[in-house]
Amino acid sequence: MTNAIDPILVTVIQRRLKAITEEMGLVMLRTARSPILSEARDFVTGLYDARGQMMEQTAYIPILAFAVPLGIKYMVDYYGDELYPGDVIIHNDPFTGGNQAADVKIVRPIFAADRLIGFSAINGHQADVGGAVAGAYNPGATEIWQEALRITPVKLYEKGRKRQDVWDLVFGNIRFPIVQEDIQAAIGGCAVGERELGKLVERYGWERFDAHLQHLYNATEQQMRAEIRAIPDGTYHGASIVHYDGFNVGSTMDIKVAVTVKDEDIHFDFTGTAPQTPGYVNAPLGSSMTSVILTLLMCLKDPNIPQNAGMVRPLTAHIPEGSMLNPRFPAASTFGNHLSDQISAAIFDALSQALPERVTAAWNPLFAIAAVGTNDRTGQPFVDILFNGLKGGGGGTQGADGYDHIGLIACGGGLLAQDPEMFEMKEPLFLHRFEYMPDSAGPGQWRGGLGVEMEMEFLNGGNLISAFGDGIDPGSEAQGILGGGAGILNRGELRYPDGSVHKCRSKEVVSGIPKGTRWYQVAGGGGGYGDPRRRPAELVAREVCYGYVSQQSAEDNYGVVVNPRTLELDHAATEGLRKEGKA
């Protein structure tokens, strides 16, 4: 029988699909111009079937990944029979399946003979997408048109022919020429996906390939359902807080979730979450659903579940329209990707009641800046998100400390810090300091990951920064869980040549920054997991010696005394302090 399922072939196809998406990623890394893409890897590559369902992906940045099927499904309905070999579609609209407007999808339909068999897609964060503020982060925006050029699906190429009028219209509304070059890199990466998927289908024949693909979906679904069955049935409630909507100083917004597990299905209900804000501190539905999926995956035992359509079948969610996690058109929502910090914290809070051994404490909430200006060496504009300074620590979990300097949870460790030398070669910026921050991690039996401090100098004048994030206001630091302590607050300030200092709010644009100004930033650590007094005293003493933990913090938080001269553990004093319960 031609379509009899060969389990070995199912695995071969799954691994080949994965390899194709990795090849697509290599094209981006080798050909993209912006360091946001070529060094920080702020993109995702994927293959999708003819209905827009995910076949496989390489999620360098998970928050960009799971929203892509929503956009492609919209394109399938939008174009209907008007998809052709050689088409290239561009899309960024949060209200038709996109996530952050700066995350621009390039999509190529893939055909075998005259049959549409799927799509290749790359979703990447672009250096600019128009709007009122260069670099896309406009904390003063109250509607999408103030944030970006809203690109609903449109063909840059049709039947292999470039639509120059459409190309000029799109890029005539985007500031930086480098964006065109990066879009060309994405088009090339998608061409690799198109070519290699076509070869795979040709090798096995469409019917046999599709039968094995559907079996792969079903097998993945069963793996996911088995994971959910291991979670005790029940409804578990969690919450977190978002600080400052960009307009009302001191404002806070609640995120609430009820996670219901029944047999082998799981449902996330965000009823009670704050209504949409007046500014850009809202998450489009794609960003919110992606945050739910990536957080759940972190709580499962099997890290090797294939990432395809079967994985999400047992998962449903209710995110009320008009809430800050599903705002109504035409709300601003550029900040939405970064609400993954608080969405994840709320879900971890809920699932800690059912899976205390699987959740992590909160990760450091993102605080970042986009630096924009003109490079005097080249005469060209530049924009850079200073990834080195924004990567705080991950949360601790049972059996493991949080990752040091890992960055926001939405990136899953895929977001890399720029190489300092390459950073200074490309941009008119100079790094004076970039190192781990002592005492930044939340104390715990398993501590949070360490954050960092960075100091960077502007070598040109007339610059602008757009600050975006959270974790600056008291109470917004990464919280501990199950007895663990919190990480430290984020911090960012401009130190001007005249000696004055401007402390940045968590959402703010500052322009006219003169040459010689220094940007100083602290990214806090992750929250701790479990009672710090249960952390091995020898390990705490070693970290004092390394400079990760101060002697005072060792005593106050862990009940560990270290000899100030030899930096060796004082066993007697430590035993006495821990008995007294002063830690």
Side-chain angles (χ1 to χ4, degrees):
M1 292 177 59
T2 304
N3 292 337
I5 299 301
D6 178 353
I8 295 177
L9 181 57
V10 172
T11 300
V12 169
I13 287 175
Q14 188 273 321
R15 293 305 304 158
R16 182 62 190 135
L17 292 172
K18 182 68 173 178
I20 293 170
T21 64
E22 291 171 347
E23 289 179 57
M24 294 166 65
L26 288 174
V27 172
M28 284 293 287
L29 291 171
R30 298 295 185 267
T31 61
R33 295 288 305 283
S34 170
I36 297 171
L37 299 168
S38 63
E39 292 198 56
R41 310 192 309 179
D42 199 347
F43 65 88
V44 61
T45 62
L47 295 171
Y48 308 85
D49 66 22
R51 292 180 290 170
Q53 298 183 115
M54 181 168 42
M55 291 186 187
E56 186 55 81
Q57 67 181 4
T58 293
Y60 294 102
I61 307 297
I63 194 67
L64 306 188
F66 296 106
V68 175
L70 296 176
I72 296 181
K73 288 175 184 177
Y74 181 85
M75 293 175 199
V76 170
D77 293 337
Y78 182 79
Y79 285 108
D81 294 333
E82 296 181 348
L83 289 168
Y84 310 107
D87 285 356
V88 175
I89 302 164
I90 186 171
H91 176 254
N92 79 338
D93 177 32
F95 294 98
T96 54
N99 47 325
Q100 183 188 76
D103 298 329
V104 179
K105 287 187 289 298
I106 293 296
V107 179
R108 297 183 72 120
I110 305 172
F111 290 80
D114 293 328
R115 181 196 296 271
L116 176 67
I117 61 170
F119 298 85
S120 60
I122 293 178
N123 191 18
H125 185 112
Q126 298 301 322
D128 186 70
V129 282
V133 175
Y137 285 93
N138 178 12
T142 59
E143 57 187 20
I144 187 172
W145 300 289
Q146 297 167 349
E147 298 184 287
L149 174 65
R150 181 184 175 219
I151 308 173
T152 54
V154 65
K155 295 181 183 180
L156 294 175
Y157 286 76
E158 187 168 32
K159 299 180 181 179
R161 182 175 180 180
K162 187 176 185 180
R163 301 182 62 181
Q164 193 65 49
D165 54 348
V166 175
W167 186 280
D168 291 344
L169 174 64
V170 170
F171 295 106
N173 285 279
I174 292 175
R175 293 172 179 84
F176 303 143
I178 196 173
V179 177
Q180 296 188 54
E181 297 164 356
D182 288 338
I183 291 298
Q184 288 172 328
I187 291 172
C190 287
V192 170
E194 177 185 22
R195 182 191 70 205
E196 296 303 318
L197 181 62
K199 288 165 61 176
L200 184 63
V201 171
E202 182 181 6
R203 178 175 183 178
Y204 296 107
W206 166 249
E207 286 75 16
R208 191 178 186 205
F209 171 84
D210 186 55
H212 284 76
L213 179 65
Q214 300 308 317
H215 184 86
L216 174 61
Y217 288 168
N218 294 335
T220 301
E221 178 184 358
Q222 292 308 309
Q223 286 182 265
M224 193 65 161
R225 291 191 180 280
E227 290 281 347
I228 295 171
R229 281 197 302 271
I231 305 173
D233 281 1
T235 297
Y236 309 98
H237 297 270
S240 63
I241 299 175
V242 182
H243 292 77
Y244 187 38
D245 62 9
F247 287 84
N248 303 291
V249 175
S251 55
T252 59
M253 292 71 69
D254 292 331
I255 292 178
K256 295 184 178 180
V257 65
V259 182
T260 298
V261 180
K262 185 176 181 181
D263 299 327
E264 54 186 28
D265 293 287
I266 188 165
H267 180 69
F268 298 81
D269 186 350
F270 288 87
T271 299
T273 291
Q276 66 189 67
T277 73
Y280 76 167
V281 186
N282 299 299
L285 186 60
S287 292
S288 297
M289 282 302 303
T290 295
S291 299
V292 170
I293 294 168
L294 70 89
T295 307
L296 177 61
L297 291 177
M298 291 178 65
C299 296
L300 303 182
K301 291 183 178 180
D302 185 357
N304 299 312
I305 295 177
Q307 294 189 13
N308 61 49
M311 181 184 68
V312 297
R313 288 175 180 171
L315 185 156
T316 56
H318 172 64
I319 305 177
E321 186 179 9
S323 72
M324 68 182 301
L325 302 184
N326 186 12
R328 292 187 177 92
F329 179 82
S333 61
T334 294
F335 191 77
N337 282 357
H338 311 304
L339 289 174
S340 60
D341 294 315
Q342 291 84 4
I343 294 172
S344 295
I347 294 172
F348 286 145
D349 183 33
L351 290 179
S352 67
Q353 303 156 47
L355 296 171
E357 74 284 359
R358 301 298 302 168
V359 299
T360 79
W363 291 36
N364 178 63
L366 171 88
F367 174 66
I369 66 167
V372 182
T374 299
N375 189 333
D376 287 348
R377 296 195 303 261
T378 64
Q380 297 294 314
F382 78 92
V383 58
D384 206 332
I385 298 172
L386 304 183
F387 294 101
N388 290 13
L390 67 81
K391 287 164 61 71
T397 189
Q398 187 178 87
D401 295 338
Y403 286 104
D404 300 328
H405 181 50
I406 190 164
L408 64 162
I409 197 168
C411 295
L415 190 70
L416 298 185
Q418 297 114 312
D419 176 88
E421 284 72 28
M422 291 297 295
F423 172 74
E424 292 172 347
M425 286 176 61
K426 288 185 176 181
E427 318 292 20
L429 307 169
F430 183 81
L431 282 172
H432 287 271
R433 181 189 303 178
F434 175 42
E435 56 194 37
Y436 285 134
M437 183 70 172
D439 286 342
S440 56
Q445 182 176 3
W446 293 282
R447 65 163 173 82
L450 291 168
V452 296
E453 61 177 340
M454 183 195 77
E455 188 170 13
M456 179 272 298
E457 181 179 352
F458 289 92
L459 302 182
N460 289 356
N463 301 285
L464 172 149
I465 67 165
S466 178
F468 55 97
D470 206 333
I472 282 180
D473 302 303
S476 62
E477 59 268 60
Q479 299 300 306
I481 199 168
L482 299 174
I488 66 170
L489 288 169
N490 294 326
R491 179 181 169 190
E493 59 188 38
L494 288 162
R495 298 174 174 177
Y496 292 105
D498 64 4
S500 60
V501 175
H502 173 76
K503 293 184 177 180
C504 268
R505 297 190 296 273
S506 57
K507 292 94 179 172
E508 181 179 10
V509 173
V510 183
S511 59
I513 300 169
K515 178 180 180 179
T517 300
R518 295 192 181 193
W519 169 255
Y520 175 76
Q521 181 171 356
V522 171
Y529 180 107
D531 184 353
R533 289 170 293 181
R534 299 184 65 183
R535 187 171 180 82
E538 293 80 5
L539 179 55
V540 176
R542 190 185 313 152
E543 294 195 325
V544 171
C545 184
Y546 292 162
Y548 296 170
V549 178
S550 68
Q551 290 180 265
Q552 192 63 54
S553 176
E555 292 188 23
D556 293 345
N557 294 306
Y558 294 97
V560 172
V561 180
V562 176
N563 186 299
R565 184 175 61 83
T566 65
L567 295 182
E568 294 179 348
L569 174 65
D570 187 326
H571 292 274
T574 295
E575 183 178 359
L577 185 57
R578 286 192 162 185
K579 282 184 178 179
E580 292 172 10
K582 292 183 179 180

